[in-house]
Amino acid sequence: MMHDIFFALEQGATLLTANRRLARHLCCMFDARQEAKGRAAWRSADVLPLPAWLGRCWDDMAESATLGEHPALLNTQQELTLWERIITESPQGQGLLRVSATAQDALEAWALLMQWKVMLDGRNNIFNEDVLAVQRWAQSFEELCRVSGWMENARLPDFIARQIHAGALKAPRHLLLAGFDELTPQQQALFEALRAAGSEVSEVQLPSFPQSRARRVGFADSDAEIAFAARWSRHLLEQGHGGAIGVVIHDLGTLREKVARIFNDVLLPASIMPGEPADVSLYNISLGTPLSDQPLINAALLIIEMAQGKLPLEKLGALLCSPFLAGGEQEMTRRGLLDARLRRFGELTVSVDEIKRHALTADACPLLGARLRQCIEVMHTLPRHQLPSAWAATFPRLLVAMGWPGERPLDSHEYQTVMAWRELLADYARLDEVVARQSLNEALARLRKMAADTLFQPQGMDAPIQILGVMEAAGMHFDHLWVMGLHDEVWPTPPRPNPFLPLSLQRTQGLPHASAPRELAFARRMTERLLASAPEVVMSYPQRDGDRHLRPSPLIVSLEEAVPEGLPGYMSAAQIPSYAAVTYQAAAIESMGDYQAPSLPEGSLASGGTGIFKQQAACPFRAFAEHRLGARPLATTQIGLNPMERGQLLHASLEQAWQKLHSYERLCSASDEAINDIVTQAVTAAIGAMAEKRRLIFTEKFTELEKNRLEKLVTAWLALEKQRAPFTVFEPEQERVVQVGGINVTTRIDRIDQLPDGRQVIVDYKTGVSDTGGWFGDRPDEPQLPLYCAFNEQEVAALTFAQVRSGDMKFKGLAQYDGIAPGIKAIGKIESISSWHGLVEEWRATLHNLGAAFRTGHAPVDPKNPPQTCKFCALTPLCRIHEHDGVGLEGDAQEAGE
């Protein structure tokens, strides 16, 4: 059978296939046949998919100048852009949220009408609003193409058939068809026109295995199914079974990432190691990934987006860490630190000028700063609007300015990615014919969408394992075949009629996906073809999907049932260990309890303030990691102000207010109008100071809302302050350096009030719920106020949280005696506390122990209340506490922290 096909190809016949993969497969078989005959050179076989042949016919007419007045052929992106334009400008398109998706569905509906030679008429069909809309859009599309001299790909087969009939295009002498499970009426008309013109058109039967042995196997879930198929493939390779191994997956588009991960883990375990490229010659996945998902393309798109003058912080972080910019390798660490610094400012977007300024500050990233200068120079030359072809010429200038695609040599995958990018720009430039001048933002949006719609599949060596979708396997034959995912909910595929065509019309004309009987017939035909594609076939299905029980497809129920243990090579396949397991088993693990870090010199100034004592009490390793190693997570950003910034605004507002009021006496004597003026001035000053740093956040409306919020809070709090005993604000927001446990720390007390007897009250503002219970014990949760009290220069009469919270204003604290403020308890009423001075001494001793432990390097992974202490800690990847059974055991837990 194949001998006859190859002989015809040697005689100059043209072979048309249903898809590109089959065309490539047959070409490889043809070349192998020529090599087997001992030939050193031969004419390439004329094998290509049908769309490529139609395009070649068009090109032949263009080269022979026979096109004359014939229309210009639109490519897919041009057609889609036209449909989007028509929909956007139509009354039916007003208010649509997803114009691109609607245009895609409408274009598919139009193509179906052309392929199946169906006319939209209402004689025997009911037209809903969607059908009427696409009918009007189609009329506009046809008229626009007629006036502009354009033709879409859906009409190309009809056009080629007319040209052949008219003698304007020479028909091939012998035409073979392979892999077509079903010919559309349009394709049938084309081939009839070829036969009428003298061409010999025949469908060829590709090799099959009608007596193949097929079995069905069920697996616990999809993961187990894929994993066993990967191990089965590896077993076949290791046993030296020659020939092709096929793995056909029903829902490959959805499962592609999972499939690649599992097959890499089983077939290419070392590929996860740094500097170890994946050996792509072992397997090939037919379905590509969106071009926009490639890191090189993502970096290019981010550079173009940055040319708008600013970039969202999250995207900026990805760009700074990209190796595809000039200096990306040399300044990798510095750019990571620059990213962390910019995140701490809290702005959602950062201007290019600001990025450049920080890059050049203190010579942080000089190479990046120099490139940003060049980029800004190009930005200043950009016009507001221009045609796509002009933007396509402009974008490379921006990329060159930033040194894209980097300085290191590109590997094969990256080189092909760059070539795909150039083709993408060329396709975008062709949009001149169908769109008007665009702004940079519009051009970027279109280019990004085109990149997302373009599937990228790098070419490589022919692999022994081919992973395919059901349609890609058309006409292919294998030595070993595994078909997976065939459970009853997806095979046959549920009907998916086009939403823009009448359902009755689709069912009457037998359009694809229109009805359950048609899908059943199609699935039965595909199943029979797959069963005849190899001498031995395994058809599998998952038995569960989450909490749903699944059954085998009714199309494979009749096959011989098997269990994984009964498959060839089960023992070898099932016992192939993962790379992680082999590494772990080979490791010689030595456990040692080393939780002692180097000591700090007596009197060292430690950064972190009172937070050191809070972290040391919560978990000594956390205090060591954060305040000595500087291990902190990247700052996160959010829309508006974060809770810390809102608290800072309130603190600043109250500080400003008390600087004017100064005392309880003046507060009580001031009129409501005077207090309102003071509050307004205080809030205005606080907001103004923060707005200098957060200009993008403090818009006019946001400032007004924040001002109203703060004024209400501060006014309500001052009303509560009037219920206190007399006092004078002694020190608002005063910084001090105190020595505790041998380390010097900087403290900043929110407020110190002076009482008439000379004693002081320490006040700490809180915008959340506060609790004095965190002041006690050997490992206090909130040691800040006890530290201020125990190491204050003057005697303290009370310490209190000032809970400034809307609807829940209160003081919560402890005092030597009653009457200082409402809500502050006198210690005489607390049985567990013997005396005020005894409590202060206890605090002093506790804080001294915590400070001394931090200074001497006592740093075990020892959370106070696991897992609550670890719940919001970002250092678990560093301490790896969850990898250990014992939590709180210094020796065992610290092994994770070494």
Side-chain angles (χ1 to χ4, degrees):
M1 186 180 301
M2 289 304 299
H3 172 80
D4 295 338
I5 296 174
F6 291 149
F7 179 77
L9 290 174
E10 291 171 352
Q11 300 303 310
T14 297
L15 175 59
L16 303 184
T17 63
N19 56 59
R20 290 183 180 275
R21 180 166 289 272
L22 180 57
R24 182 181 178 188
H25 175 68
L26 293 175
C27 281
C28 290
M29 293 181 63
F30 178 83
D31 292 341
R33 173 185 171 88
Q34 305 308 311
E35 289 182 354
K37 289 183 175 181
R39 295 176 179 173
W42 58 89
R43 185 175 63 179
S44 297
D46 191 23
V47 182
L48 68 168
L50 176 57
W53 181 77
L54 292 171
R56 188 173 73 180
C57 291
W58 179 273
D59 293 338
D60 289 344
M61 287 188 292
E63 291 177 2
S64 61
T66 60
L67 276 175
E69 298 298 324
H70 294 309
L73 182 64
L74 299 173
N75 62 30
T76 303
Q77 286 298 332
Q78 290 172 322
E79 289 184 44
L80 192 57
T81 304
L82 275 179
W83 279 94
E84 289 180 14
R85 192 175 95 189
I86 291 169
I87 293 172
T88 302
E89 295 173 353
S90 70
Q92 298 81 11
Q94 302 302 313
L96 281 178
L97 298 179
R98 301 179 60 196
V99 174
S100 295
T102 303
Q104 185 66 53
D105 287 341
L107 178 58
E108 290 175 3
W110 175 252
L112 282 173
L113 294 175
M114 298 299 103
Q115 292 164 4
W116 292 84
K117 292 188 173 296
V118 176
M119 296 294 294
L120 270 182
D121 62 73
R123 286 175 295 180
N124 298 312
N125 300 287
I126 299 176
F127 282 12
N128 58 26
E129 291 183 2
D130 290 339
V131 176
L132 290 173
V134 81
Q135 187 180 41
R136 295 188 184 99
W137 296 336
Q139 291 170 354
S140 299
F141 181 73
E142 283 188 287
E143 178 63 18
L144 187 58
C145 288
R146 185 187 65 79
V147 172
S148 304
W150 298 328
M151 186 180 64
E152 70 279 21
N153 279 276
R155 291 186 185 273
L156 183 57
D158 297 329
F159 180 81
I160 297 297
R162 290 196 301 269
Q163 298 303 309
I164 292 174
H165 178 74
L169 181 65
K170 183 179 179 181
R173 182 174 58 84
H174 192 185
L175 198 64
L176 305 175
L177 308 179
F180 291 91
D181 292 304
E182 181 179 25
L183 291 175
T184 68
Q186 186 184 52
Q187 291 170 342
Q188 293 174 15
L190 170 64
F191 297 139
E192 286 302 322
L194 286 167
R195 291 189 180 100
S199 290
E200 180 184 349
V201 181
S202 58
E203 294 190 54
V204 298
Q205 294 297 320
L206 296 174
S208 63
F209 303 90
Q211 303 301 320
S212 65
R213 182 188 181 189
R215 286 166 289 180
R216 64 176 169 89
V217 186
F219 289 88
D221 54 29
S222 174
D223 285 17
E225 187 181 18
I226 298 170
F228 199 94
R231 295 184 180 119
W232 171 81
S233 302
R234 174 171 167 173
H235 166 75
L236 293 176
L237 291 179
E238 290 177 339
Q239 295 300 312
H241 292 282
I245 301 170
V247 178
V248 175
I249 303 176
H250 170 261
D251 195 11
L252 182 57
T254 302
L255 298 175
R256 189 190 192 285
E257 293 300 322
K258 182 189 293 186
V259 169
R261 172 176 54 81
I262 293 176
F263 269 75
N264 275 338
D265 187 45
V266 173
L267 297 173
L268 313 168
S271 64
I272 65 173
M273 301 300 292
E276 291 288 341
D279 184 1
V280 294
S281 62
L282 283 181
Y283 76 90
N284 175 267
I285 300 181
S286 66
L287 184 65
T289 57
L291 185 60
S292 57
D293 288 351
Q294 300 300 313
L296 256 170
I297 305 304
N298 184 53
L301 292 172
L302 288 178
I303 292 171
I304 296 171
E305 183 175 351
M306 186 175 64
Q308 298 181 48
K310 58 185 179 181
L311 202 60
L313 189 60
E314 295 301 323
K315 292 183 177 181
L316 175 61
L319 185 60
L320 289 176
C321 296
S322 172
F324 304 115
L325 305 183
E329 301 282 342
Q330 300 175 53
E331 294 183 344
M332 178 175 60
T333 302
R334 291 183 173 187
R335 293 183 185 183
L337 294 174
L338 175 60
D339 178 29
R341 185 191 316 154
L342 291 172
R343 289 172 184 268
R344 287 196 292 270
F345 292 114
E347 296 289 356
L348 292 176
T349 59
V350 187
S351 69
V352 181
D353 289 327
E354 192 74 3
I355 303 169
K356 183 192 72 172
R357 183 175 69 81
H358 284 284
L360 295 175
T361 299
D363 206 29
C365 301
L367 296 178
L368 176 65
R371 288 292 178 170
L372 286 170
R373 276 203 190 100
Q374 296 180 37
C375 186
I376 292 173
E377 290 176 1
V378 176
M379 288 165 52
H380 288 161
T381 67
L382 298 181
R384 294 178 61 86
H385 294 83
Q386 56 182 348
L387 289 171
S389 58
W391 283 120
T394 299
F395 292 153
R397 293 171 53 208
L398 290 167
L399 302 184
V400 169
M402 292 301 297
W404 185 90
E407 298 167 342
R408 64 173 175 80
L410 301 177
D411 60 26
S412 174
H413 182 103
E414 292 167 345
Y415 176 79
Q416 292 183 62
T417 304
V418 172
M419 294 299 103
W421 168 258
R422 294 176 180 173
E423 292 177 8
L424 181 71
L425 286 181
D427 286 341
Y428 173 68
R430 296 188 186 100
L431 296 182
D432 280 3
E433 298 183 30
V434 296
V435 299
R437 293 156 62 88
Q438 295 182 316
S439 67
L440 174 58
N441 187 45
E442 292 170 335
L444 174 62
R446 174 60 60 182
L447 189 65
R448 180 168 274 138
K449 183 181 182 304
M450 290 175 63
D453 292 341
T454 302
L455 290 181
F456 174 69
Q457 179 74 334
Q459 296 181 358
M461 298 175 61
D462 290 331
I465 302 173
Q466 295 293 322
I467 303 175
L468 315 161
V470 174
M471 299 304 297
E472 288 83 10
M476 303 280 287
H477 65 273
F478 309 92
D479 295 282
H480 310 276
L481 177 63
W482 185 303
V483 186
M484 68 172 66
L486 301 182
H487 61 83
D488 59 334
E489 292 186 6
V490 299
W491 195 251
T493 304
R496 293 179 292 105
N498 190 286
F500 285 118
L501 297 178
L503 181 58
S504 58
L505 176 68
Q506 296 184 64
R507 289 178 173 175
T508 302
Q509 299 296 329
L511 268 61
H513 314 301
S515 65
R518 194 189 197 288
E519 291 302 288
L520 175 60
F522 177 79
R524 180 176 286 117
R525 194 161 58 245
M526 294 296 101
T527 303
E528 292 172 354
R529 174 170 55 76
L530 290 169
L531 288 172
S533 295
E536 290 203 7
V537 181
V538 176
M539 291 200 162
S540 65
Y541 66 97
Q543 297 171 329
R544 292 181 64 87
D545 180 13
D547 58 354
R548 291 176 18 250
H549 290 273
L550 304 174
R551 294 173 297 180
S553 164
L555 297 177
I556 65 171
V557 167
S558 62
L559 300 180
E560 173 191 349
E561 185 176 7
V563 293
E565 292 84 349
L567 295 178
Y570 164 76
M571 293 302 295
S572 299
Q575 293 177 358
I576 295 175
S578 68
Y579 188 76
V582 171
T583 303
Y584 182 80
Q585 293 167 4
I589 300 177
E590 178 183 0
S591 298
M592 54 184 295
D594 180 10
Y595 51 87
Q596 186 63 45
S599 299
L600 292 172
E602 182 84 24
S604 298
L605 179 62
S607 62
T610 58
I612 291 175
F613 301 90
K614 181 174 182 176
Q615 303 297 3
Q616 187 73 21
C619 176
F621 177 78
R622 183 172 176 178
F624 169 74
E626 284 195 13
H627 300 291
R628 291 189 61 181
L629 298 183
R632 296 182 181 87
L634 288 175
T636 58
T637 58
Q638 65 180 51
I639 298 176
L641 301 176
N642 60 42
M644 179 180 292
E645 290 170 325
R646 289 182 178 273
Q648 292 170 349
L649 267 181
L650 180 63
H651 284 211
S653 299
L654 288 167
E655 180 185 4
Q656 292 285 339
W658 280 113
Q659 284 180 355
K660 296 181 182 300
L661 290 169
H662 188 63
S663 68
Y664 170 82
E665 180 181 357
R666 185 172 179 186
L667 170 66
C668 293
S669 62
S671 65
D672 290 344
E673 183 180 351
I675 289 179
N676 288 339
D677 289 342
I678 290 173
V679 170
T680 298
Q681 294 173 23
V683 169
T684 300
I687 289 178
M690 183 170 286
E692 285 294 319
K693 303 174 183 177
R694 303 293 306 276
R695 295 177 183 176
L696 296 178
I697 294 293
F698 282 90
T699 62
E700 182 178 350
K701 187 63 177 178
F702 182 84
T703 301
E704 180 183 353
L705 292 172
E706 194 63 20
K707 184 172 179 290
N708 291 337
R709 182 187 74 88
L710 289 170
E711 287 178 355
K712 290 178 181 179
L713 285 175
V714 174
T715 301
W717 181 253
L718 292 179
L720 181 61
E721 294 264 22
K722 291 181 180 180
Q723 302 177 29
R724 290 181 53 184
F727 63 90
T728 301
V729 176
F730 181 66
E731 289 182 2
E733 301 280 350
Q734 183 67 37
E735 282 193 359
R736 295 180 182 178
V737 176
V738 297
Q739 186 172 104
V740 184
I743 59 171
N744 291 336
V745 294
T746 302
T747 64
R748 186 179 180 88
I749 302 174
D750 287 350
R751 199 172 107 203
I752 297 178
D753 294 345
Q754 188 86 33
L755 300 178
D757 62 4
R759 286 182 284 186
Q760 296 181 338
V761 176
I762 297 177
V763 181
D764 186 40
Y765 296 124
K766 293 291 184 184
T767 55
V769 177
S770 55
D771 184 11
T772 59
W775 294 350
F776 304 103
D778 294 336
R779 299 174 71 173
D781 295 329
E782 296 290 345
Q784 182 181 15
L785 278 178
L787 186 146
Y788 293 159
C789 177
F791 294 91
N792 196 47
E793 296 175 354
Q794 293 181 241
E795 185 178 356
V796 176
L799 61 160
T800 180
F801 289 127
Q803 185 171 298
V804 189
R805 183 179 175 86
S806 180
D808 192 21
M809 301 278 183
K810 64 178 67 173
F811 288 100
K812 296 181 74 172
L814 295 175
Q816 291 191 39
Y817 51 84
D818 280 330
I820 293 179
I824 299 181
K825 297 180 181 179
I827 60 170
K829 297 181 180 180
I830 304 176
E831 295 181 0
S832 59
I833 301 177
S834 57
S835 68
W836 178 261
H837 293 290
L839 176 62
V840 173
E841 286 302 318
E842 182 181 331
W843 281 339
R844 186 176 287 115
T846 297
L847 293 163
H848 175 85
N849 292 338
L850 291 174
F854 179 81
R855 187 188 69 79
T856 57
H858 182 70
V861 178
D862 183 20
K864 178 183 176 182
N865 295 313
Q868 188 62 32
T869 303
C870 304
K871 186 175 181 180
F872 300 106
C873 178
L875 300 179
T876 50
L878 182 61
C879 73
R880 307 199 309 276
I881 193 169
H882 299 308
E883 298 178 19
H884 295 257
D885 295 330
V887 176
L889 303 177
E890 291 186 349
D892 292 340
Q894 181 54 29
E895 180 191 342
E898 291 167 7

